[in-house]
Amino acid sequence: MRVHKLTFAALAVAASLSLTACQNDDDATGQSDPSAASSEVSSGGGSGSGDSPQGAGDESGGEGTGGQGTAAGSGSGSDSGSGSGENDKAGKCRTDELKFKAMDATIDGDTEGTVAVELTNGGGRECAISGYAGVDLKTNSGTLSAKRSGEPVVPGTLKDGETVAFGIHYPINDSGGSGVRVTGLVVTPPDETKSVTLDWPGAATLPITDGTGSPVKVGPIGSAGQGG
């Protein structure tokens, strides 16, 4: 019986030593995990932050801020940039936002008559406008559409309250005949489908043509000067 008791005691001591060794291994493993996690955060947080935390913060400032939350930071920056881009790019000027004014701009001695049409931005926002407006003259013989002059188009924007103008050029009726009587002016801003009808401020009549083409030409937006 004494031999059996000694054997059991030896087994108990061996088991105790084995359990202590396992606990020591677990403790060592648990101590190594935090260092590995810290290394991952430092790597994701931005280059150089682990080597010199103070230097990285002093040199980059914003870069350090963005590095602390890469996903959130880049998402916020992307949204902010997209929104800013949309705001910076002015939308086109709409017919309902513009005020129109037509006036006689013919200068004595000119071989042709000129009507200037002013467009004033009253939409409360900056808007983009460029190209050729659609121009139709109402006459007692029907509608006469103006042809483009072929002058180059220059992109432009109008702040709220600013004005831009374009010119309409037409032949002067010096034939001595009654000619074609003009009764109105229809203007459609570039890239728009809604038109406005204005009184025609130019000469009352146009010479009768042989019908081979429109004698009336329109210049691009900005071709008759720009004011504010």
Side-chain angles (χ1 to χ4, degrees):
M1 294 295 293
R2 187 176 183 84
V3 172
H4 288 297
K5 288 181 179 180
L6 290 174
T7 302
F8 290 147
L11 290 174
V13 171
S16 175
L17 292 174
S18 175
L19 179 60
T20 301
C22 290
Q23 289 175 346
N24 289 338
D25 291 342
D26 291 341
D27 290 342
T29 303
Q31 290 175 0
S32 65
D33 286 343
S35 65
S38 176
S39 176
E40 289 175 5
V41 170
S42 176
S43 171
S47 62
S49 59
D51 295 337
S52 177
Q54 293 180 350
D58 293 341
E59 289 177 4
S60 57
E63 188 177 320
T65 302
Q68 290 176 359
T70 303
S74 60
S76 173
S78 175
D79 291 342
S80 175
S82 173
S84 176
E86 290 177 2
N87 291 336
D88 290 343
K89 183 178 180 181
K92 68 179 181 180
C93 298
R94 301 288 186 179
T95 302
D96 291 336
E97 297 175 318
L98 297 171
K99 299 176 182 178
F100 300 78
K101 180 180 180 181
M103 64 195 76
D104 185 14
T106 305
I107 300 176
D108 290 342
D110 284 353
T111 58
E112 61 182 2
T114 301
V115 166
V117 178
E118 291 185 345
L119 293 77
T120 302
N121 180 12
R125 66 178 180 94
E126 185 177 16
C127 62
I129 187 167
S130 63
Y132 285 82
V135 171
D136 297 297
L137 301 187
K138 291 184 175 182
T139 75
N140 61 341
S141 299
T143 300
L144 180 64
S145 297
K147 295 174 62 177
R148 295 181 178 183
S149 65
E151 298 172 66
V153 171
V154 179
T157 57
L158 287 179
K159 294 181 180 179
D160 186 39
E162 283 190 335
T163 298
V164 69
F166 65 89
I168 302 172
H169 309 284
Y170 61 93
I172 295 175
N173 182 17
D174 53 8
S175 64
S178 59
V180 177
R181 183 166 55 87
V182 182
T183 61
L185 169 64
V186 181
V187 176
T188 309
D191 300 320
E192 278 288 87
T193 57
K194 187 174 183 179
S195 304
V196 295
T197 300
L198 308 171
D199 292 335
W200 173 251
T205 62
L206 301 177
I208 298 175
T209 64
D210 57 8
T212 56
S214 174
V216 181
K217 293 184 179 181
V218 57
I221 298 293
S223 61
Q226 183 170 354

